[in-house]
Amino acid sequence: SWRVKRSRVASVSENGVVEGVSSGTTEVIAEAGGREYRCTVRVERLSLSRTKVAAQAGNTLQLRVSGTKRKILWRSSDPSVVKVSAAGKLTFLLPGTADVTASVGSTVLTCHVTVAKPSVSVPASMAVGETGTVGLGGKTYKKIVFSSDAPEIVSADGDGQLTAKQPGTAQITVQIADYSVTREVAVRNTVEGAVISGCLEGLSGTDARLAKKAHEVYAAVVSEEMSQVEKIRAVHDYIVENTEYACEEYQNGTLSSVPYVFSAEGVLLRQRAVCQGYAEALELFLNAMGAENRLVYGYGITGGERIGHAWNLVQLDGSWYHIDATWDDPIVDGRDSGRIYYDYFLINDAAIKKDHIWQEKDYPAAKGGEYTDYVIRRTVEEYRAKGRYLEALDDYAEEIAARCAGGEWESELMFYGREQPDTDAMLRKVAGLVPGRGLRAYLQYFYYGDYTIWTTRIVVE
């Protein structure tokens, strides 16, 4: 006779056929001739974690069988499409379909796998100096390689970022597991791209001359060790130092006879321009450096008069700032003052509104940020570090006298505000150092933002 110890786990027929009822362990007992024979039976309820999978080549997935401690044998019906490890890890290799089975004893569990082509997009064309990224449809892959057959034209890094280096075509290959896709990228030359690369291929006429000069300027004033804001300052300074405002043509109404003054050509090739030329030259360099920027058209207010004007907006670390290179190159009595000012370098809307008007709704708001008045703040730090910053204007006379006593008869000091120091008191103190001798003083000052820089030169007669 047959019976089971725990009938909720298993049942046994009168012929000794055991059937599982629920997972668990029990004993099947056979009684014959007054003796009992026992067999331990473990009933398993097997389950596969996935029975259907849709995936893309290059990805992986872990399958699991629950309900057993026995050895599991894994198998793929087509290992070229999907490979399965001894631990049930799936690697999707090529587009196609296959069945992955997990065998536990005589029980076979099946997962149907469909592998689709990965979504891969590559820019069809790029400009020299431009960067782009291989698109993967928002997917990530553990096993992926990017390569270019002409890295001197378009390079590809390990993250799929492409950099256009010179005109031509390149084949970009994306290898995802065993699946690969190749796309062609055509690189065209632009003036902006040539600023950095120096490559003039594909450019002609004024564009070629402009690109050549801009590249020479960039190479001379910018180094790769500079931060982005330092690079922007360097080209701003070059424009201001090397451009003469077309004041004469503006005043006599003959600007139409020199149309180049309205473009970057005027700044870089003719060293003569009006505000639009200054702004377009700076825009050229900002574009070349990959800085997001806008050319602003509005009005400048001078002498109570509104005059058509152009300047720049640039974004740094997520914040927008104004730069007006023209007004950082002031004209005094029709002549260039020869100084670089930073009153309009990286300032916010509130600051530039004092003498500029524009359609604010048409441009991003420039609230400023960590780079507001960047150069002025840096200059104050430099003067402080050199011991040439006066914390109090009343210290001027003592400071000049002390420097003269130390043999420094010409000095440059910086202080906050626009008040003038007591030069008479200074001369009295210096005169005490050279009794009986005459003195001649040469004094010059200029405003630097909200600060004043005062140069004092004493000549003993």
Side-chain angles (χ1 to χ4, degrees), residues 196-213:
I196 307 296
S197 70
C199 175
L200 302 180
E201 184 180 339
L203 301 177
S204 61
T206 301
D207 282 350
R209 293 192 299 273
L210 190 62
K212 183 175 184 293
K213 180 62 178 180

Side-chain angles (χ1 to χ4, degrees), residues 41-329:
V41 174
R42 184 172 68 250
V43 177
E44 298 175 338
R45 184 180 297 277
L46 304 180
S47 177
L48 189 59
S49 56
R50 299 281 293 273
T51 59
K52 185 180 292 187
V53 170
Q56 289 184 316
N59 284 334
T60 60
L61 177 70
Q62 179 66 54
L63 283 184
R64 290 181 173 82
V65 176
S66 59
T68 185
K69 295 182 179 180
R70 288 185 286 168
K71 182 177 181 180
I72 304 167
L73 297 177
W74 296 92
R75 178 180 176 275
S76 170
S77 65
D78 190 343
S80 67
V81 173
V82 56
K83 181 174 67 175
V84 60
S85 72
K89 184 177 181 179
L90 307 184
T91 301
F92 309 110
L93 303 175
L94 290 172
T97 60
D99 287 332
V100 174
T101 57
S103 299
V104 183
S106 60
T107 302
V108 179
L109 306 174
T110 302
C111 176
H112 184 69
V113 177
T114 301
V115 181
K117 290 182 180 180
S119 174
V120 176
S121 61
V122 176
S125 66
M126 299 175 69
V128 172
E130 185 180 359
T131 59
T133 304
V134 176
L136 299 172
K139 304 291 185 179
T140 57
Y141 301 96
K142 293 184 177 179
K143 189 176 181 182
I144 184 168
V145 177
F146 306 92
S147 62
S148 169
D149 74 335
E152 71 280 5
I153 295 175
V154 181
S155 64
D157 68 12
D159 296 321
Q161 178 166 294
L162 309 178
T163 302
K165 296 183 174 181
Q166 65 182 48
T169 59
Q171 302 292 326
I172 303 301
T173 299
V174 182
Q175 182 77 34
I176 302 175
D178 289 354
Y179 176 77
S180 68
V181 59
T182 300
R183 298 283 189 270
E184 184 176 273
V185 179
V187 179
R188 66 188 185 281
N189 206 3
T190 63
V191 175
E192 289 85 352
V195 171
I196 307 296
S197 70
C199 175
L200 302 180
E201 184 180 339
L203 301 177
S204 61
T206 301
D207 282 350
R209 293 192 299 273
L210 190 62
K212 183 175 184 293
K213 180 62 178 180
H215 174 69
E216 291 171 356
V217 169
Y218 188 83
V221 305
V222 171
S223 67
E224 290 310 309
E225 293 74 27
M226 290 180 174
S227 65
Q228 185 79 319
V229 67
E230 289 171 335
K231 292 177 181 179
I232 294 172
R233 177 187 179 181
V235 297
H236 164 275
D237 290 359
Y238 175 86
I239 292 170
V240 172
E241 287 182 312
N242 293 276
T243 308
E244 180 184 1
Y245 190 86
C247 191
E248 180 181 347
E249 293 89 341
Y250 174 78
Q251 291 176 341
N252 60 28
T254 59
L255 285 174
S256 59
S257 65
V258 284
Y260 58 80
V261 300
F262 294 95
S263 69
E265 177 188 353
V267 171
L268 293 171
L269 301 182
R270 311 285 187 125
Q271 291 75 53
R272 191 171 182 80
V274 293
C275 59
Q276 186 165 334
Y278 280 73
E280 289 193 6
L282 182 56
E283 179 188 38
L284 172 62
F285 286 108
L286 292 175
N287 287 338
M289 291 186 286
E292 188 173 354
N293 67 94
R294 295 282 302 276
L295 200 62
V296 184
Y297 293 97
Y299 298 92
I301 304 173
T302 178
E305 182 183 359
R306 291 200 327 175
I307 301 172
H309 193 45
W311 65 96
N312 305 86
L313 270 169
V314 63
Q315 188 184 73
L316 282 168
D317 294 343
S319 298
W320 286 90
Y321 303 84
H322 293 271
I323 301 177
D324 189 342
T326 310
W327 281 30
D328 277 343
D329 185 10

